Amino acid sequence: MIPEKMRSSIGSDIPCISIITSAYNGENSLRQCIDSVRSQTFTSWEHIIIDDGSKDGSRRLAENSALEDSRLRVFIQPHRGAPHARNRGARTTNVGSQYFLFLDQEDCLK
């Protein structure tokens, strides 16, 4: 059952949940992470990926995924570490989001 607070965002342009992923050289696991978010039955979310100066194909993978799904946004920054990337992600979320979830690049939602 979806709580009343979350139901109010369903169908609006404001995502209920902001999912923030810091990516650094995670090309081998990032696809599964992104796909696990996109496969959720609850659809009122935004997925913000901060590429933290990756030297592999993580940036390209994230940008291509964002072209496929407008709920996914990608930001690029020089390598400064996961805490800086998470903080940047939190600052770029939709101001109306009710919940935040920090999801590591090697993790998946069920």
Side-chain angles (χ1 to χ4, degrees):
M1 179 140 178
I2 299 173
E4 181 63 38
K5 186 175 180 182
M6 293 176 76
R7 265 186 262 156
S8 64
S9 291
I10 297 173
S12 77
D13 290 338
I14 299 172
C16 183
I17 301 170
S18 293
I19 303 163
I20 302 162
T21 299
S22 169
Y24 180 70
N25 294 339
E27 182 178 22
N28 293 331
S29 58
L30 188 58
R31 166 56 62 201
Q32 291 85 2
C33 176
I34 293 169
D35 287 347
S36 77
V37 173
R38 291 176 68 189
S39 69
Q40 297 302 302
T41 57
F42 183 80
T43 59
S44 182
W45 53 261
E46 67 177 339
H47 191 181
I48 297 169
I49 298 177
I50 307 296
D51 182 90
D52 191 36
S54 295
K55 307 249 185 267
D56 64 358
S58 297
R59 176 181 177 172
R60 183 178 62 251
L61 190 154
E63 289 175 334
N64 287 339
S65 296
L67 291 174
E68 298 169 6
D69 193 327
S70 63
R71 297 172 296 175
L72 198 150
R73 296 188 292 146
V74 180
F75 297 89
I76 311 301
Q77 70 179 27
H79 182 61
R80 296 182 66 200
H84 287 280
R86 287 184 185 127
N87 287 337
R88 180 164 184 205
R91 286 191 309 269
T92 60
T93 60
N94 188 299
V95 73
S97 291
Q98 297 173 16
Y99 301 98
F100 293 109
L101 171 66
F102 292 103
L103 184 66
D104 291 334
Q105 67 186 9
E106 65 275 354
D107 293 335
C108 294
L109 296 179
K110 298 278 180 178

